[in-house]
Amino acid sequence: MVRKLFLLAFLISSCGGVTQEELNFKLSQINKRITQLEEQQRKIEAQQIKIEERVDALSQNLASLRLELEETKTGGEIHHRRATEELKTGEQLAKDSAPKDYEKEYQEALNLYNLRQLNQAKDKFIEFIKNNPQTPLTDNAYLWLGVVYRDLGDIKRAEAVWRTLEEKCKRGELVDCNKLPSAYLQLARIYENSGDTAKAKEYYEKILREFPLSDEANIAKTKVDR
């Protein structure tokens, strides 16, 4: 920068008719402009940092809202199942209308998670899966066990749990697999956050291919189309 200023001074002085006072004024104007540009650059960089922080905060809020949506959907599934049972009559109604034990166990585990008692929730979901390997809520338990591990910071175990859910669904070992698209989405996010964009894209495409009408498909489409 100093060399450029000397060169400029030389060129100006060589033109003739330029006093030292005029030269000094021009140099001061150039320095002033450089200072202004540097200040603008600092402001732009600061704004960029703020924008990145806002994007991170929005991503976290969106993830929390999606989990809340999953919880609400799960509660709705249980209530829907009970409402269906109430349509039965006679002795069967009396037998089936009471909540099943596995539903109570599942709700206890979910309540522990909602209270942020993560280690207790983890143990409860593991116990639920061991005791109830074939119920309509077993796939839900796998999904939330992975979420608990993720919130505990154990990403490898979260990935292993969701991959186990995927494999069991592929082998037809579970009664219900309605949480598989959610597990796919969680896996895609893990790979995306770790920088494995190819693996993340693979799972986003699985959602679109296997569950094109799901809520997760709307999210996956925005990721694949980017």
Side-chain angles (χ1 to χ4, degrees):
M1 181 60 70
V2 173
R3 292 177 63 188
K4 290 182 178 179
L5 291 176
F6 276 120
L7 178 60
L8 179 61
F10 174 77
L11 291 173
I12 294 174
S13 62
S14 65
C15 293
V18 178
T19 66
Q20 184 63 41
E21 182 179 353
E22 291 173 332
L23 176 61
N24 290 339
F25 176 76
K26 289 181 181 294
L27 290 175
S28 68
Q29 291 298 309
I30 292 171
N31 282 326
K32 182 178 179 181
R33 182 57 179 160
I34 290 172
T35 301
Q36 290 174 343
L37 290 173
E38 289 175 342
E39 181 63 25
Q40 289 178 4
Q41 182 180 6
R42 284 194 292 270
K43 288 181 179 179
I44 291 171
E45 290 173 349
Q47 290 174 351
Q48 183 177 1
I49 292 172
K50 289 181 180 179
I51 290 172
E52 290 174 353
E53 290 175 348
R54 289 180 62 190
V55 169
D56 289 341
L58 286 172
S59 297
Q60 291 176 2
N61 290 337
L62 186 58
S64 297
L65 287 172
R66 284 174 181 151
L67 285 176
E68 184 178 344
L69 176 62
E70 286 295 331
E71 180 185 346
T72 303
K73 288 166 64 177
T74 299
E77 290 167 4
I78 293 174
H79 290 309
H80 176 71
R81 192 177 299 112
R82 290 178 184 170
T84 301
E85 290 173 352
E86 289 174 359
L87 294 176
K88 299 178 183 178
T89 58
E91 185 177 343
Q92 191 64 35
L93 172 62
K95 180 180 177 180
D96 293 348
S97 60
K100 295 180 175 61
D101 289 340
Y102 73 82
E103 291 181 352
K104 292 180 181 178
E105 291 179 37
Y106 174 82
Q107 194 60 51
E108 287 172 4
L110 194 59
N111 289 341
L112 287 170
Y113 174 80
N114 291 333
L115 292 171
R116 306 306 294 170
Q117 298 178 17
L118 298 181
N119 285 303
Q120 294 93 321
K122 176 195 69 177
D123 294 340
K124 195 69 177 177
F125 278 122
I126 291 173
E127 180 184 359
F128 176 89
I129 291 170
K130 285 182 179 178
N131 295 337
N132 306 279
Q134 292 290 332
T135 75
L137 291 175
T138 303
D139 62 318
N140 297 57
Y142 273 107
L143 175 67
W144 283 98
L145 177 58
V147 170
V148 172
Y149 275 126
R150 185 204 62 194
D151 287 3
L152 285 169
D154 196 339
I155 302 301
K156 288 295 182 184
R157 286 190 178 175
E159 177 188 3
V161 169
W162 290 324
R163 290 293 299 273
T164 298
L165 172 58
E166 177 186 10
E167 291 165 6
K168 284 184 172 292
C169 287
K170 295 303 181 185
R171 293 196 297 264
E173 296 177 3
L174 296 177
V175 173
D176 197 343
C177 283
N178 68 329
K179 294 305 176 193
L180 186 56
S182 295
Y184 281 169
L185 185 60
Q186 296 296 335
L187 286 167
R189 286 173 178 156
I190 283 180
Y191 299 130
E192 190 172 30
N193 291 336
S194 67
D196 191 345
T197 55
K199 197 71 174 175
K201 184 178 180 182
E202 175 186 335
Y203 275 90
Y204 284 131
E205 289 177 344
K206 278 188 177 184
I207 295 172
L208 293 173
R209 184 171 59 253
E210 298 177 22
F211 304 98
L213 300 180
S214 65
D215 293 336
E216 291 78 8
N218 294 329
I219 300 170
K221 191 175 188 305
T222 63
K223 296 289 185 177
V224 172
D225 290 346
R226 284 193 309 186

